[in-house]
């Protein structure tokens, strides 16, 4: 039952089609986990994670549960700051949803021209795996093995190296 309760908690209140056209993370925050009291969200997440170690959940919730973030609002602020930075740069596109509970990611579309055949463009995702909270994955073909994501050391590192990553990747 806890898995069913969790799946309902991460689903957007409206149909998924309603977030498909979202152009920024704030437009995708419609699920129970985004609006319910933070302590209730953490309690349900902890209970569900005991049952499923690979539980689908947004990066910020995993980071919050591990003690890396001080609040859900801190995670939302980072998502919004990344979105504002990338919205101001040509070529970056926000992809609002790709798996249950996720917060979306950004793709640098011009990077696809650097490889032949079907490709995955340079991609920037938010992550709980390190305290910089950002990973960038270089452009790659869909026929080969995907390169490992590179850790970005926060917003300062992103701002400082974005032009280089856009030109190299």
């Amino acid at each position: 039952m806890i898995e069913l309760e969790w799946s309902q908690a991460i689903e957007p209140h409206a149909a998924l089609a309603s977030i498909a056209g979202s152009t920024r993370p704030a437009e995708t925050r419609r699920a129970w986990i985004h609006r319910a009291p933070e302590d209730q969200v953490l309690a349900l997440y902890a209970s569900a994670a005991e049952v499923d170690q690979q539980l689908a959940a947004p990066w910020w919730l995993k980071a919050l549960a591990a003690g890396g973030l001080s609040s859900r609002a801190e995670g939302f602020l980072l998502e919004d700051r990344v979105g504002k930075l990338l919205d101001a740069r040509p070529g970056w596109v926000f992809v609002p949803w790709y798996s249950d509970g996720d917060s979306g990611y950004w793709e640098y579309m011009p990077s696809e021209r650097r490889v032949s055949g079907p490709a995955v463009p340079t991609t920037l995702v938010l992550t709980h795996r390190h305290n910089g909270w950002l990973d960038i994955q270089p452009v790659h073909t869909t026929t080969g093995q995907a390169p490992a994501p590179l850790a970005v050391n926060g917003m300062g590192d992103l701002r400082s190296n974005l032009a280089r990553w856009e030109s190299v990747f």
Side-chain angles (χ1 to χ4, degrees):
M1 288 303 286
I2 190 72
E3 290 172 323
L4 175 59
E5 190 176 353
W6 182 252
S7 70
Q8 291 175 335
I10 62 174
E11 287 181 8
H13 211 142
L16 291 176
S18 70
I19 65 169
S22 299
T23 59
R24 54 188 49 101
E27 296 170 358
T28 66
R29 297 181 196 133
R30 298 184 182 176
W32 178 85
I33 59 171
H34 299 113
R35 353 179 233 35
E38 198 168 282
D39 60 335
Q40 290 179 22
V41 173
L42 280 167
L44 180 59
Y45 174 74
S47 295
E50 286 180 17
V51 174
D52 181 0
Q53 300 294 319
Q54 302 300 317
L55 188 65
W59 73 274
W60 56 263
L61 182 52
K62 292 176 181 180
L64 182 62
L69 286 178
S70 62
S71 69
R72 172 176 56 195
E74 183 181 355
F76 291 170
L77 179 62
L78 180 58
E79 289 178 351
D80 294 342
R81 289 176 64 207
V82 170
K84 185 176 179 180
L85 174 65
L86 298 181
D87 281 349
R89 299 182 71 90
W92 286 96
V93 175
F94 178 66
V95 179
W97 180 78
Y98 66 100
S99 66
D100 289 339
D102 245 315
S103 300
Y105 59 95
W106 291 265
E107 293 180 332
Y108 184 62
M109 300 311 288
S111 66
E112 284 182 307
R113 293 184 222 134
R114 294 187 177 91
V115 295
S116 59
V120 176
T122 298
T123 305
L124 182 75
V125 297
L126 287 128
T127 182
H128 68 285
R129 71 180 192 94
H130 59 83
N131 287 342
W133 310 125
L134 298 163
D135 278 344
I136 193 160
Q137 185 168 32
V139 62
H140 58 281
T141 64
T142 57
T143 56
Q145 185 172 352
L150 305 171
V152 178
N153 194 21
M155 284 298 295
D157 188 25
L158 179 62
R159 271 191 215 92
S160 298
N161 291 297
L162 195 52
R164 181 177 61 85
W165 289 324
E166 290 169 346
S167 66
V168 174
F169 294 163

